[in-house]
Amino acid sequence: MSRRYFGTDGVRGKVGHPPVTADFALKLGWATGKVFAGRGQNKVLIGKDTRISGYMFESALEAGLVSAGIDAVMLGPMPTPAIAYLTRTFRACAGIVISASHNPYYDNGIKFFSEDGEKLPDEIEQEIEQWLMRPMDCVESDALGKVRRLQDARGRYIEFCKSRVPSDFSLQGQKIVVDCANGATYHIAPAVFEELGAEVIAIGIEPNGLNINEHVGSTHPETLKQKVLEVGADLGVAFDGDGDRVVMVDDKGELHDGDHLLYVLAAHAQRQGRLAGGVVGTVMTNLGLELAFRKMDIPFARAKVGDRYVMEMLKQNRWMLGGESSGHIICRDCTTTGDGIIAALRVLVGLRDLGLTLAEAGRRWEKTPQVLKNVRVKERFDPMSKEEIQRCVTEVTHQLGDAGRVLLRASGTEPVIRVMVEGRDKSAIEEIADQLVAVVARYA
């Protein structure tokens, strides 16, 4: 069955434009409630990031769930992985996250976790879509759901994050800049690092509903770089708006993206004999990392972009570690989804045990030069469905030969076509990327 509303990660778009509207959220809450009530389940958690439209959508979802006879537990602003964790620990039938992740404040989305803290199964999403096609009704008054707010959600999640590292692990003596992107980690991440002993300089911790991801966070690491150098920090950590991505900056101000972090995690797991197979990356993972893993005899596989697909391949291969260049890192031995705070902590544990600084770990392998450019379009489309684009890709692929690769794909989260070119000669791949961008822009 084709989906009308659900994408690769729930429903997402510009606020006020269908389907990201209050009336749709109301009916989505009701439809979700109908599905789970029909299965004899009656408790759903709702959390959000810090964008201003979250108030509107949490109220609408709450009303829809209650009208279907489902109890709602309100978490307030919480990182996406925290909602996955709390959904499991509260034995809820689902967790709902109101967030557009790394997107600007004027976008928002609604995504779901299952009772085990993973992405909602396809069959349940399809069942929700079927209910969305029906007229909305309401249970009798004595069967309405109830609503309560979980007061200690923050403290529970902070303790969970700290429990994912060895009991003897300490950050005492380290100065760390923590950039929370004015998003959902603003009241959590600084506390986690402080309670583990670090001296924390926190930035991006003043959300006002409109400044989420604005010149801060993992998508704008230049702010973190500047702060690390300014205060002479040992390193910096930046999350995105909903806390499922992380990137880091070393003491020299050099950026370490998801590929760098995966290297540290894989090397550490291999040293400890707990790698349990190989590592899953994506089609965007740098070729240099794949070659480094090959030298280390670590199996490597590429999934489609999106943590959903990384998780699917991990399960299929029965592996534990995977992630994306953007900073989505999945450590299946301790979490059920990408978790920026936990990934950062595990990297720091790995650096300690390997006897390396972040900068030294970055020099253990060589990145293949890679250029990534975005072309904003009115509506997403498959770029390879256009004959002219196909022809151009064939020409430049032939030009690169075995020394590089080209990838064009539509973003799954925003109206953007991503153009990636990888090769040994940086100036040459810049020219090729510009050439491809010009062709794609004709269809914008």
Side-chain angles (χ1 to χ4, degrees):
M1 173 182 170
S2 61
R3 304 181 192 189
R4 182 174 177 183
Y5 300 109
F6 282 91
T8 58
D9 202 12
V11 179
R12 187 179 291 191
K14 190 171 183 179
V15 174
H17 296 250
V20 188
T21 60
D23 57 331
F24 178 79
L26 174 69
K27 194 164 187 183
L28 180 60
W30 170 81
T32 302
K34 283 292 188 181
V35 168
F36 286 108
R39 294 166 181 254
Q41 298 168 304
N42 71 341
K43 181 166 62 180
V44 172
L45 274 58
I46 302 177
K48 62 179 181 177
D49 64 22
T50 56
R51 62 195 75 220
I52 193 168
S53 57
Y55 294 103
M56 175 172 70
F57 292 123
E58 70 177 347
S59 297
L61 286 163
E62 171 192 324
L65 288 165
V66 166
S67 70
I70 296 290
D71 294 344
V73 180
M74 313 304 288
L75 304 178
M78 290 293 289
T80 289
I83 297 163
Y85 162 68
L86 292 168
T87 299
R88 292 198 330 268
T89 59
F90 272 83
R91 309 298 191 268
C93 54
I96 300 179
V97 183
I98 305 165
S99 175
S101 190
H102 57 283
N103 287 22
Y105 77 91
Y106 48 75
D107 289 338
N108 215 334
I110 301 168
K111 55 187 176 183
F112 296 81
F113 286 111
S114 67
E115 60 187 348
D116 57 9
E118 297 185 2
K119 303 292 185 183
L120 210 58
D122 291 346
E123 59 269 21
I124 295 182
E125 288 187 350
Q126 290 171 353
E127 197 174 340
I128 292 172
E129 291 232 356
Q130 290 171 356
W131 276 100
L132 284 168
M133 299 299 105
R134 304 181 190 183
M136 189 172 169
D137 59 12
C138 183
V139 299
E140 295 297 327
S141 294
D142 61 354
L144 288 169
K146 297 178 181 178
V147 180
R148 70 182 178 95
R149 185 163 293 277
L150 183 63
Q151 300 295 341
D152 62 344
R154 172 181 177 271
R156 286 172 179 263
Y157 184 59
I158 288 173
E159 289 305 312
F160 171 70
C161 290
K162 289 159 54 184
S163 75
R164 300 299 90 185
V165 298
S167 58
D168 66 344
F169 177 70
S170 172
L171 293 171
Q172 194 74 37
Q174 291 202 48
K175 183 187 287 188
I176 299 177
V177 180
V178 178
D179 182 350
C180 298
N182 291 318
T185 62
Y186 80 98
H187 59 325
I188 291 174
V192 171
F193 289 91
E194 282 175 354
E195 292 182 24
L196 287 170
E199 177 189 348
V200 172
I201 296 90
I203 60 176
I205 55 168
E206 297 179 350
N208 61 15
L210 305 177
N211 62 0
I212 187 170
N213 301 311
E214 186 177 47
H215 308 305
V216 284
S218 63
T219 50
H220 298 282
E222 59 276 3
T223 304
L224 178 64
K225 293 180 185 180
Q226 181 180 346
K227 195 67 176 179
V228 166
L229 294 174
E230 177 189 320
V231 302
D234 294 290
L235 57 90
V237 181
F239 306 102
D240 67 339
D242 73 329
D244 61 359
R245 292 186 185 193
V246 60
V247 299
M248 300 175 78
V249 167
D250 65 31
D251 60 333
K252 304 295 191 297
E254 293 298 317
L255 178 67
H256 296 252
D257 63 12
D259 291 346
H260 286 102
L261 306 188
L262 265 183
Y263 173 84
V264 174
L265 292 168
H268 183 224
Q270 186 185 50
R271 168 82 64 88
Q272 292 192 323
R274 56 172 183 79
L275 185 57
V279 177
V280 173
T282 73
V283 292
M284 297 297 292
T285 300
N286 191 273
L287 180 61
L289 183 61
E290 181 177 0
L291 297 175
F293 284 154
R294 193 176 299 169
K295 288 181 181 177
M296 298 164 70
D297 292 324
I298 294 177
F300 178 75
R302 292 182 185 268
K304 290 193 294 184
V305 171
D307 58 339
R308 169 188 288 264
Y309 303 114
V310 173
M311 179 63 86
E312 284 177 1
M313 188 168 284
L314 284 172
K315 286 182 171 180
Q316 178 184 328
N317 293 345
R318 297 183 180 179
W319 294 352
M320 292 293 115
L321 179 62
E324 303 184 82
S325 307
S326 61
H328 276 126
I329 307 290
I330 299 173
C331 303
R332 278 189 68 216
D333 58 334
C334 65
T335 60
T336 60
T337 189
D339 189 313
I341 295 175
I342 288 175
L345 293 177
R346 295 287 288 262
V347 167
L348 294 175
V349 173
L351 292 173
R352 179 199 69 170
D353 293 349
L354 293 168
L356 298 171
T357 65
L358 186 59
E360 288 168 345
R363 292 193 290 270
R364 287 290 185 95
W365 64 282
E366 186 176 354
K367 263 195 160 188
T368 301
Q370 189 180 78
V371 175
L372 177 63
K373 301 200 174 187
N374 295 327
V375 184
R376 188 158 288 273
V377 294
K378 291 180 181 177
E379 291 185 6
R380 285 193 292 269
F381 64 91
D382 176 7
M384 299 307 289
S385 66
K386 309 296 183 183
E387 189 175 333
E388 183 184 11
I389 297 176
Q390 272 188 35
R391 191 163 54 247
C392 186
V393 168
T394 300
E395 288 173 2
V396 298
T397 299
H398 179 73
Q399 179 182 337
L400 285 167
D402 294 334
R405 61 192 186 103
V406 173
L407 177 69
L408 272 69
R409 67 177 188 87
S411 166
T413 58
E414 53 185 326
V416 159
I417 303 299
R418 305 202 191 279
V419 177
M420 189 278 288
V421 184
E422 202 169 45
R424 294 172 186 159
D425 186 331
K426 185 67 181 289
S427 61
I429 63 173
E430 284 275 8
E431 289 180 13
I432 290 171
D434 288 339
Q435 181 182 344
L436 290 167
V437 164
V439 175
V440 173
R442 294 172 195 162
Y443 299 88

